[in-house]
């Protein structure tokens, strides 16, 4: 067990607000509510921010590794890459593939979830609209038959966190109900649904908008489509990819204004190139070219996930989008933790929770990362 330690002097972001010249005591792997031993080492974080570890509910890989097709070692490398950028809790997202292959992948990823490396599995596809397929292989798409949805959920052995589907397809609403009944998040995405069809899906139990604005009809004044329905309903948390490519700053502001900071979850939608570099990659069966940090399909040019890490999303939200730090912490830690049902352990800096935290400098650049009481990135060595 990690020894006790004290982090002192930072501006600490708590659920109740910002504490200046704060003091956080770590006892082993958890945040302590008591007194630190007299001989506990003190890390001086004056001039820095201390925020909860980031929680990413939509992530396909990083560090050159794919969660969809990589080996166990590859997946662990991808997880570690994102930990180096502050993401202490990550859900592994798959992309559209054949049902047998997805079921096998779910079995492998569930083992990593069982040993605590992953927080769960997100199936993005194959139950999505060919009209809004994005970087998914059209020939492998299928309607969301509840029996097939159930097969994927069962293959994940209780570790399925979320399934993205297009609710307007045959079987869509029944599949949403099935997911809700089994405690799996039903997410609306890669969809051509109307405003009314989206409302019906929310009433059936959908609770998340997969990367809002992307892979769905644009907001129209006569045909508002899914965006309006998802933003206006208090039951929906909207995912946002804040990389400056997927969303115009005005769209991000619109989402925050209408949904409020309590209903936004920043995600990466990262693929292999995150934390790795430009080049050619595979996203499922499709080839991707990453140039200047932007991932696009070689054939067709559709945006193919991102190379984003959540430390960059945090810094951009505060410095470019001018969002309050507390709201960014909610969107990047607390809200996704609540969605996953793990807010009792992560998502905020409170006694009894895992000692998962991120140290940022005055310009909101990452300087330190702690996971379960151990430094992944030591701010004193940076």
């Amino acid at each position: 067990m990690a020894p006790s330690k004290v982090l002192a002097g930072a501006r600490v972001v708590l659920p109740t607000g910002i504490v200046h010249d704060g003091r956080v005591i770590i006892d082993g792997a958890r945040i302590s509510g008591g007194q630190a031993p007299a001989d506990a080492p003190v890390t001086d974080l004056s001039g820095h921010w201390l925020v909860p570890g980031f929680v990413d509910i939509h992530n396909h890989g990083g560090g050159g590794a794919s969660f969809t097709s990589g080996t166990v070692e590859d997946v662990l490398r991808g997880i570690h890459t994102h930990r180096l950028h502050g993401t202490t809790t990550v859900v592994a997202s798959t992309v559209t593939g054949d049902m047998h292959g997805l079921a096998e992948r779910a079995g492998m990823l569930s083992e990593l979830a069982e040993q605590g490396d992953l927080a769960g599995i997100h199936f993005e596809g194959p139950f999505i609209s060919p009209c809004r397929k994005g970087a998914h292989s059209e020939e492998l798409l299928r309607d969301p038959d509840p029996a097939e949805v159930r097969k994927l959920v069962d293959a994940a052995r209780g570790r399925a966190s979320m399934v993205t589907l297009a609710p307007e397809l045959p079987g869509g609403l029944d599949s949403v109900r099935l997911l809700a009944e089994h405690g799996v998040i039903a997410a609306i995405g890669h969809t051509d649904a109307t405003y009314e069809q989206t409302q019906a899906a929310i009433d059936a139990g959908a609770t998340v908008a997969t990367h809002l604005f992307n892979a769905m009809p644009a907001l129209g004044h006569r045909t508002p489509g899914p965006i309006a329905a998802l933003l206006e309903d208090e039951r929906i948390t909207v995912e946002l990819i804040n990389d400056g490519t997927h969303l115009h700053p005005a769209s991000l502001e619109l989402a925050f204004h209408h949904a409020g900071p309590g209903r936004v979850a920043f995600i990466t939608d990262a693929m292999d190139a995150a934390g790795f570099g430009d080049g050619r990659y595979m996203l499922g069966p499709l080839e991707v070219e990453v140039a200047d940090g932007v991932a696009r399909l070689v054939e067709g040019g559709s945006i193919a996930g991102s190379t984003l890490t959540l430390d960059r999303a945090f810094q951009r939200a505060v410095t470019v989008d001018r969002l309050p730090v507390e709201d960014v912490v909610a969107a990047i830690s607390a809200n996704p933790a609540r969605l996953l049902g793990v807010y009792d352990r992560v998502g905020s800096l409170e006694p009894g929770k895992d000692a998962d935290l991120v140290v940022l400098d005055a310009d909101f650049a990452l300087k330190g990362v702690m996971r379960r009481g151990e430094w992944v990135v030591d701010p004193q060595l940076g």
Side-chain angles (χ1 to χ4, degrees):
M1 180 181 287
S4 295
K5 51 180 75 77
V6 178
L7 311 180
R11 283 173 284 186
V12 182
V13 183
L14 302 175
T16 51
I18 298 171
V19 176
H20 295 265
D21 194 17
R23 183 178 173 89
V24 175
I25 300 168
I26 311 299
D27 183 12
R30 299 186 181 277
I31 298 171
S32 172
Q35 296 293 317
D39 60 349
V42 178
T43 302
D44 183 5
L45 297 176
S46 300
H48 291 72
W49 292 84
L50 198 58
V51 301
F54 308 147
V55 180
D56 193 355
I57 61 172
H58 187 155
N59 186 319
H60 298 280
S66 169
F67 295 158
T68 295
S69 57
T71 64
V72 170
E73 291 73 22
D74 291 334
V75 174
L76 290 171
R77 185 169 77 253
I79 293 168
H80 183 67
T81 296
H82 285 281
R83 283 183 189 165
L84 293 174
H85 292 275
T87 299
T88 51
T89 301
V90 63
V91 170
S93 301
T94 62
V95 296
T96 294
D98 68 84
M99 291 294 290
H100 177 71
L102 285 172
E104 283 193 338
R105 174 62 31 170
M108 185 262 262
L109 293 174
S110 68
E111 292 181 12
L112 294 176
E114 285 160 10
Q115 64 191 39
D117 293 297
L118 291 170
I121 305 165
H122 164 218
F123 297 101
E124 188 180 20
F127 311 114
I128 59 176
S129 171
C131 302
R132 305 285 174 177
K133 64 182 184 296
H136 291 256
S137 177
E138 184 165 354
E139 54 266 29
L140 294 174
L141 300 182
R142 54 211 299 136
D143 291 336
D145 179 341
E148 293 203 319
V149 174
R150 177 67 187 271
K151 284 180 184 176
L152 280 190
V153 171
D154 287 348
R157 304 202 301 258
R159 300 294 175 167
S161 297
M162 182 162 65
V163 176
T164 293
L165 54 78
E168 75 278 9
L169 296 176
L173 292 182
D174 285 339
S175 293
V176 169
R177 294 186 188 99
L178 171 82
L179 292 168
E181 288 167 4
H182 285 80
V184 179
I185 297 166
I188 299 170
H190 288 276
T191 177
D192 208 37
T194 64
Y195 175 84
E196 291 78 16
Q197 288 170 327
T198 306
Q199 284 184 315
I202 298 169
D203 287 339
T207 56
V208 166
T210 292
H211 44 53
L212 186 76
F213 297 106
N214 291 280
M216 60 182 62
L219 185 65
H221 64 291
R222 291 195 183 94
T223 53
I227 294 172
L230 294 163
L231 280 177
E232 73 184 9
D233 200 298
E234 294 293 323
R235 294 170 288 183
I236 291 291
T237 297
V238 298
E239 293 182 349
L240 298 176
I241 308 171
N242 193 24
D243 61 354
T245 299
H246 282 78
L247 293 175
H248 189 283
S251 298
L252 183 96
E253 183 181 4
L254 177 75
F256 256 93
H257 176 74
H258 284 279
R263 292 204 294 119
V264 171
F266 280 140
I267 62 164
T268 61
D269 194 18
M271 47 79 71
D272 313 20
F276 200 66
D278 291 354
R280 289 274 178 121
Y281 297 85
M282 297 301 294
L283 187 60
L286 303 179
E287 192 171 13
V288 175
E289 175 79 30
V290 179
D292 297 324
V294 178
R296 293 185 180 275
L297 289 182
V298 171
E299 187 175 331
S302 291
I303 292 178
S306 85
T307 62
L308 185 64
T309 51
L310 283 181
D311 57 331
R312 286 170 42 213
F314 193 114
Q315 186 176 40
R316 180 181 175 86
V318 178
T319 61
V320 176
D321 303 307
R322 302 295 179 185
L323 294 171
V325 175
E326 304 97 311
D327 292 354
V328 179
V329 168
I332 215 162
S333 299
N335 298 342
R338 287 193 183 95
L339 271 175
L340 293 177
V342 295
Y343 188 66
D344 60 324
R345 294 190 289 107
V346 300
S348 66
L349 300 178
E350 295 178 273
K353 291 194 175 185
D354 289 353
D356 290 1
L357 52 88
V358 174
V359 180
L360 305 169
D361 68 13
D363 297 319
F364 298 96
L366 183 141
K367 293 298 177 183
V369 181
M370 178 181 285
R371 185 173 187 269
R372 297 182 182 172
E374 299 280 0
W375 289 115
V376 180
V377 178
D378 191 330
Q380 295 180 305
L381 301 178

